[in-house]
Amino acid sequence: MAYKINGKLRGLKPYVPTQEITGVIHLDANESFLNLTPQLIQDAADAVQNTAFNRYPDPYAADLCQAFGNYYGVNATHVTAGNGSDELISLLISNFLMKGETIVTTAPDFSMYTFYPKLAETNDVEAVKGNSFSITPQKLIDTVKKSNARMLLFSNPCNPTSLGFTREEVVQIIESLPDVLTVVDEAYMDFWEQTQSVLGLESRYDNLVILKTCSKMGLAALRLGFSVSNEKLTGLLHSAKSPYNVNSLTQEIGALVLGEKKCLQSHIKQIQQSRDSLLHGIEEILFRYPGAFQLYRSCTNFVTFRFPEAEQLYTYLMECGISARQFPGFLRITAGAPAENQAFLAVMESFFHKKSTLEKGG
Ligand SMILES: *Cc1c(COP(=O)(O)O)cnc(C)c1O
């Protein structure tokens, strides 16, 4: 007799990051192209000096949640810190759903939304977006009702489409589904407008959880994410999580950086400017090669365009030392440093130039 691996683990593949590949311009992971300022790195080093390494961290990360609350203007008693928002997504799916219950996600959306439901042995129903990459709130609501789902999870603005529901639309969804837990992942809201965020509405709805992450604003290395929900849901999350999920260094450095609102906002502004110039550069290529691909506006830190030969362009970019993220029939490019955007645009231009020369020749 041999030990037999269970069905849900069989066929599972490890996540493959591209970070290991050196000498490549990384425009694939939606990271910030800006590291912390030298002053903040010094402050972080000082915090490390003063850490009690022999002691467990604060299980509820009180100071950190207070710093997050101050930054976004939410009540710290509504906040749960996680080891990245990834941990909180996993926690929500495995604890707020019973085995066999249904979660609705949208497609395309963040890849982890379909990964965790499989491990939790729940049913995942996808509300599929059309060619425009959008879905009406009503269609989403209908899908949830028809499938008797207990949870709805989507990113807003959406990764990888770069588009967002307005706050009014999200409120319509929450209010139309009072017996469904709606989880709104606002990982990219900082790059859009705070007026579109549903932060603050958690005290009005007992079926709302909002997710945030520090990864996209330049703290990906720390592994730090947050959920915001009313006191009852927050209490349940605190009870269901593993006790010391956020380590002391992340708590101290996270609180310190969130306290430097001006600095973070200046970085976010630079990322928005990079996104706009990347979008503009791609628009110019589209102008020279009309109809070559379909470009979407972006309210995130990346640009997405639909293109039947996305895989070829992806491979060509890799050969030229640039990593993008490819999906079936479309590509996602993270806004990088100005020189990185320029390098990407030059390769993209060269791809379409070659392609059009070939087509004219043949
Ligand atoms: C990047 C991303 C996350 C992951 O956040 P971590 O805090 O790094 O785990 C969550 N949701 C979406 C939609 C993302 O794109």
Side-chain angles (χ1 to χ4, degrees), residues 91-113:
L91 201 62
L92 284 161
I93 290 171
S94 54
N95 291 287
F96 286 77
L97 286 174
M98 301 281 277
K99 179 176 168 177
E101 286 186 336
T102 298
I103 174 173
V104 168
T105 56
T106 69
D109 206 328
F110 188 44
S111 56
M112 290 297 148
Y113 299 166

Side-chain angles (χ1 to χ4, degrees), residues 184-219:
V184 185
D185 183 347
E186 296 194 350
Y188 299 92
M189 190 56 86
D190 293 323
F191 306 110
W192 195 13
E193 297 157 356
Q194 283 317 301
T195 51
Q196 303 298 351
S197 170
V198 289
L199 275 178
L201 293 187
E202 74 279 355
S203 43
R204 196 186 304 169
Y205 301 110
D206 64 1
N207 62 329
L208 171 65
V209 177
I210 303 146
L211 295 175
K212 297 286 296 179
T213 176
C214 290
S215 297
K216 311 294 155 49
M217 55 159 75
L219 291 173

Side-chain angles (χ1 to χ4, degrees), residues 42-342:
Q42 185 55 54
D43 294 347
D46 294 344
V48 172
Q49 293 279 337
N50 296 322
T51 299
F53 284 97
N54 54 325
R55 302 295 178 194
Y56 280 110
D58 171 4
Y60 305 112
D63 291 348
L64 174 62
C65 290
Q66 188 59 56
F68 174 89
N70 292 347
Y71 187 96
Y72 286 104
V74 297
N75 194 327
T77 59
H78 295 172
V79 181
T80 306
N83 186 4
S85 56
D86 240 326
E87 184 200 14
L88 299 165
I89 295 167
S90 165
L91 201 62
L92 284 161
I93 290 171
S94 54
N95 291 287
F96 286 77
L97 286 174
M98 301 281 277
K99 179 176 168 177
E101 286 186 336
T102 298
I103 174 173
V104 168
T105 56
T106 69
D109 206 328
F110 188 44
S111 56
M112 290 297 148
Y113 299 166
T114 49
F115 172 76
Y116 292 122
K118 277 193 197 81
L119 289 183
E121 298 178 72
T122 61
N123 299 321
D124 174 26
V125 171
E126 292 187 338
V128 180
K129 295 168 184 173
N131 249 355
S132 61
F133 268 157
S134 57
I135 184 167
T136 62
Q138 194 54 53
K139 190 173 165 206
L140 191 51
I141 292 162
D142 291 344
T143 306
V144 174
K145 285 188 175 163
K146 236 189 292 166
S147 54
N148 256 324
R150 292 263 295 148
M151 190 183 292
L152 167 64
L153 166 60
F154 59 91
S155 56
N156 192 52
C158 172
N159 171 18
T161 70
S162 72
L163 305 173
F165 284 124
T166 63
R167 173 180 157 115
E168 207 173 282
E169 289 174 320
V170 176
V171 165
Q172 182 194 344
I173 292 166
I174 300 163
E175 291 191 346
S176 304
L177 301 166
D179 55 351
V180 173
L181 185 66
T182 294
V183 181
V184 185
D185 183 347
E186 296 194 350
Y188 299 92
M189 190 56 86
D190 293 323
F191 306 110
W192 195 13
E193 297 157 356
Q194 283 317 301
T195 51
Q196 303 298 351
S197 170
V198 289
L199 275 178
L201 293 187
E202 74 279 355
S203 43
R204 196 186 304 169
Y205 301 110
D206 64 1
N207 62 329
L208 171 65
V209 177
I210 303 146
L211 295 175
K212 297 286 296 179
T213 176
C214 290
S215 297
K216 311 294 155 49
M217 55 159 75
L219 291 173
L222 276 191
R223 303 306 300 129
L224 180 56
F226 296 91
S227 72
V228 180
S229 55
N230 72 10
E231 261 145 57
K232 185 172 163 200
L233 293 177
T234 302
L236 290 170
L237 275 165
H238 281 182
S239 311
K241 77 181 185 64
S242 80
Y244 305 116
N245 59 327
V246 180
N247 73 72
S248 300
L249 296 180
T250 295
Q251 290 193 29
E252 285 174 36
I253 299 170
L256 190 112
V257 177
L258 284 168
E260 296 295 327
K261 192 166 180 174
K262 268 209 184 93
C263 173
L264 283 175
Q265 292 196 327
S266 143
H267 282 199
I268 286 167
K269 197 160 185 188
Q270 291 176 63
I271 294 167
Q272 287 170 321
Q273 285 164 349
S274 161
R275 182 244 357 247
D276 290 341
S277 86
L278 179 64
L279 192 60
H280 184 68
I282 299 176
E283 258 166 4
E284 285 185 331
I285 295 174
L286 188 57
F287 188 72
R288 285 192 285 279
Y289 305 96
F293 52 86
Q294 193 180 345
L295 182 62
Y296 300 87
R297 69 186 162 78
S298 168
C299 45
T300 58
N301 66 342
F302 56 86
V303 175
T304 297
F305 56 92
R306 202 189 276 280
F307 176 50
E309 288 141 272
E311 198 178 337
Q312 276 163 264
L313 176 53
Y314 169 82
T315 306
Y316 185 65
L317 282 162
M318 275 308 262
E319 285 165 7
C320 299
I322 297 171
S323 68
R325 179 74 194 268
Q326 75 163 321
F327 298 86
F330 65 100
L331 278 188
R332 188 193 74 193
I333 316 294
T334 306
E340 296 176 324
N341 290 349
Q342 284 313 314

